[in-house]
Amino acid sequence: MFILQAAPEIHPFAKTGGLGDVVGGVVRPLAELGLQSATIMPLYRRVRESRPALARAAEFEVTVGEKTRTAVIWKGVYPGTQVPAYFVEEDSLFDREGLYGGLKGDYADNAERYVFFSRAVLDAIPALNLPVDVLHVHDWQTALIPVYLKTIYAQSPAHSRIRSLLTIHNMGYQGLFWHWDWSLTGLDWSLFNWKQLEFWGKLNFLKGGLIFADFLSTVSPRYAKEIQTEEFGCALEGVLRDRAKELVGILNGVDTAEWNPATDRQIPARYSAADLKGKAVCRAWLRKKMGLPECAAPLFCVVSRLVEQKGIDLLAAVMGDFVASESQLIVLGTGEDALQRALVDAARRWPSHVAVEIGFNTGLSHEVMAGSDAVLMPSRYEPCGLTQLYGQLYGTVPVVRRTGGLADSVQDGVTGILFGEATVASLTAAIRKTVETWRRPAEWNRMVLNGMKQDWSWARSAREYAALYARLAGAAGKTA
Ligand code: ADP
Ligand code: GLC
């Protein structure tokens, strides 16, 4: 069985969030299960900057609307494995500072960029002679691939037996474009109707994938149920309910080669559940680095995109609480301007209690995770979330809202602290409860150790994906 994973970002080549971690994270465990696979993503400027060793593998023309564009495919390997990693080069579309946008917001030609990428993935299959059984695609950027497989590419011998799996990492990002972009897709206008790719007059990439993929998954069992409701479905709950039988939730894991405090070279001292001394070193070092004084109260952290989904507006509203409870907070993140400003203002106002670093900094994210006592996630919704898993492995107690993957991966009072509502009052109560619990060392340490002993390795999720692939490929065998 051969699996091709097509994704808009893959760690360690380029990532903006958890999606990149997840696609990269399953590569090695799938190989360990004996599955053949490969990955494919755009050759962004950031990928080049990470200097992977690449060899030219193919070149062909891709149709995008009225135009054709040249795709050059480069081949490398996924680090630490023999798994081929392919990259699609088209510099006028991908040689840019950001992945999806810059300071002025999303790139205006994102529809064209990901139509091109999706078709390049499909055209690469015969060009590279890949014996693909299952094409596993991720999020709106690759959601047209399942649509193409059932339409333009349906009769092609290289494609007709391929089954598709679409993983939804976040219903909040659907790839919505004005209807004039339809002509870029090359699809027949008859598909532009409310039961297929049309959405309130616009073109909706994700909706197309939800309807045309052979199977759907999302990144936690609870989110798989939540998105079938009005509250979490982002107006596509009806489509998801129609496909409930072909929708599963597979909880994300952690790449323990990268996230393990006993071996992590990105933190100032290493530690484990058996010997926590190094964590105290990390904590003192982090306080110093971030300009916070020593303090006899817990050090909270937030490592996150600074957006409403993550409840950062609620966080900004409770900054005074870290002063009142005499605790401290470190924020590492980038995102919406107004939220960034509110956090930076709080750090200026209360420099002994709040430190804020605006930016995307993977090395610092490890230092923050190792040096903090608790990691806060007041998310409004959370498909899975990875930071609460890293927190557990690093002895940094997750304090999270009971939603989506957070509810599936944190046990209240056992491995973390859960709170119910996305409100200032509920978040404030959770912060107070955390500070009080921290003052009862036996109880606190029990939570720390419980978390550190959890197995969040990808092996478990990879087995679930492998079973799903086998089921899909088996179904293809029967119809072939
Ligand atoms: P999401 O994908 O919704 O942003 P996740 O919790 O699934 O949320 O994953 C976020 C990933 O991005 C984690 O690996 C986290 O450490 C990382 N991350 C988020 N913000 C930053 C940042 N400012 N600097 C470094 N890493 C970050
Ligand atoms: C999305 C979600 C996050 C999830 C990640 C990886 O960005 O917001 O909850 O962990 O994808 O699946």
Side-chain angles (χ1 to χ4, degrees):
M1 191 165 48
F2 190 101
I3 315 303
L4 179 63
Q5 283 207 82
E9 58 180 77
I10 304 179
H11 183 65
F13 304 117
K15 82 163 183 184
T16 63
L19 162 62
D21 288 308
V22 170
V23 184
V26 288
V27 171
R28 191 200 321 249
L30 288 177
E32 284 165 2
L33 289 173
L35 253 75
Q36 278 200 306
S37 77
T39 60
I40 186 162
M41 67 176 285
L43 186 62
Y44 302 109
R45 183 179 303 167
R46 215 175 286 168
V47 174
R48 278 218 180 87
E49 285 165 359
S50 76
R51 301 193 177 280
L54 298 179
R56 208 183 168 94
E59 179 176 334
F60 47 79
E61 299 297 306
V62 176
T63 312
V64 183
E66 308 280 281
K67 286 187 266 186
T68 63
R69 288 176 172 274
T70 307
V72 180
I73 309 290
W74 293 86
K75 182 181 181 186
V77 290
Y78 190 82
T81 70
Q82 303 291 317
V83 176
Y86 295 101
F87 299 89
V88 179
E89 180 187 62
E90 210 294 63
D91 282 348
S92 68
L93 298 177
F94 299 125
D95 183 22
R96 299 184 190 177
E97 186 65 36
L99 267 53
Y100 316 122
L103 290 175
K104 293 192 201 112
D106 288 348
Y107 294 132
D109 57 351
N110 273 346
E112 181 166 8
R113 295 171 81 224
Y114 291 102
V115 163
F116 169 80
F117 176 64
S118 298
R119 296 202 62 170
V121 167
L122 289 162
D123 294 341
I125 291 170
L128 298 167
N129 217 353
L130 297 177
V132 179
D133 295 293
V134 177
L135 189 40
H136 185 175
V137 305
H138 298 265
D139 274 358
W140 71 264
Q141 294 93 333
T142 51
L144 287 186
I145 290 178
V147 182
Y148 287 132
L149 279 172
K150 293 264 165 67
T151 54
I152 298 176
Y153 294 76
Q155 307 305 327
S156 146
H159 299 94
S160 57
R161 50 179 287 283
I162 297 177
R163 294 282 145 157
S164 60
L165 168 64
L166 166 63
T167 296
I168 307 155
H169 294 265
N170 195 328
M171 285 301 299
Y173 300 87
Q174 301 184 355
L176 270 184
F177 301 98
W178 71 332
H179 70 283
W180 291 115
D181 281 333
W182 184 266
S183 57
L184 294 170
T185 67
L187 294 164
D188 196 278
W189 270 103
S190 65
L191 296 179
F192 192 73
N193 68 77
W194 71 276
K195 287 194 149 177
Q196 293 178 304
L197 277 81
E198 188 262 356
F199 182 82
W200 302 105
K202 291 191 166 165
L203 158 60
N204 186 323
F205 278 36
L206 184 66
K207 185 176 176 188
L210 296 180
I211 289 162
F212 282 90
D214 290 307
F215 217 91
L216 306 173
S217 77
T218 183
V219 286
S220 69
R222 178 155 165 154
Y223 193 60
K225 295 220 165 61
E226 286 173 346
I227 56 179
Q228 298 177 46
T229 66
E230 201 181 328
E231 188 182 354
F232 295 98
C234 299
L236 291 178
E237 57 275 4
V239 177
L240 288 157
R241 276 200 299 269
D242 283 348
R243 299 225 53 197
K245 286 205 188 70
E246 295 117 356
L247 166 63
V248 291
I250 298 180
L251 199 68
N252 286 338
V254 170
D255 183 351
T256 44
E258 184 177 348
W259 291 96
N260 176 356
T263 54
D264 192 336
R265 293 278 143 205
Q266 307 195 64
I267 58 179
R270 273 139 296 283
Y271 59 92
S272 65
D275 181 2
L276 279 164
K277 279 197 295 294
K279 184 156 176 83
V281 175
C282 292
R283 192 184 300 112
W285 196 83
L286 179 66
R287 279 200 166 109
K288 207 158 172 201
K289 178 164 183 166
M290 301 301 290
L292 292 174
E294 282 300 317
C295 162
L299 173 57
F300 289 87
C301 74
V302 168
V303 178
S304 178
R305 291 184 289 119
L306 303 177
V307 295
E308 214 188 278
Q309 175 201 341
K310 302 289 181 179
I312 304 299
D313 50 321
L314 301 172
L315 180 75
V318 302
M319 289 305 216
D321 266 49
F322 296 98
V323 185
S325 63
E326 295 180 343
S327 59
Q328 294 171 321
L329 168 73
I330 292 176
V331 181
L332 168 62
T334 52
E336 287 162 20
D337 246 6
L339 295 174
Q340 291 187 177
R341 244 178 292 123
L343 296 174
V344 169
D345 282 351
R348 266 197 214 117
R349 186 159 167 208
W350 296 299
S352 322
H353 292 277
V354 180
V356 173
E357 177 73 24
I358 301 296
F360 196 91
N361 184 335
T362 306
L364 184 58
S365 75
H366 283 246
E367 294 166 29
V368 170
M369 205 46 79
S372 305
D373 295 295
V375 52
L376 265 181
M377 297 180 79
S379 305
R380 289 216 154 66
Y381 70 94
E382 196 63 74
C384 180
L386 296 171
T387 319
Q388 81 281 9
L389 307 180
Y390 303 154
Q392 289 176 50
L393 297 179
Y394 279 65
T396 305
V397 173
V399 180
V400 305
R401 187 165 165 246
R402 188 178 284 105
T403 183
L406 299 176
D408 282 342
S409 61
V410 180
Q411 301 167 58
D412 192 27
V414 180
T415 56
I417 292 173
L418 283 130
F419 60 96
E421 305 303 322
T423 58
V424 167
S426 196
L427 175 56
T428 305
I431 293 169
R432 300 229 168 115
K433 185 171 169 189
T434 308
V435 175
E436 281 159 26
T437 315
W438 183 88
R439 295 198 189 287
R440 297 192 292 273
E443 200 178 319
W444 185 263
N445 286 335
R446 208 169 38 244
M447 271 199 302
V448 167
L449 294 177
N450 286 343
M452 292 183 85
K453 287 180 193 143
Q454 300 294 308
D455 176 9
W456 293 118
S457 69
W458 269 109
R460 173 188 39 85
S461 335
R463 275 195 299 275
E464 291 182 50
Y465 280 116
L468 194 50
Y469 297 150
R471 186 167 152 194
L472 276 165
K478 266 178 232 136
T479 52

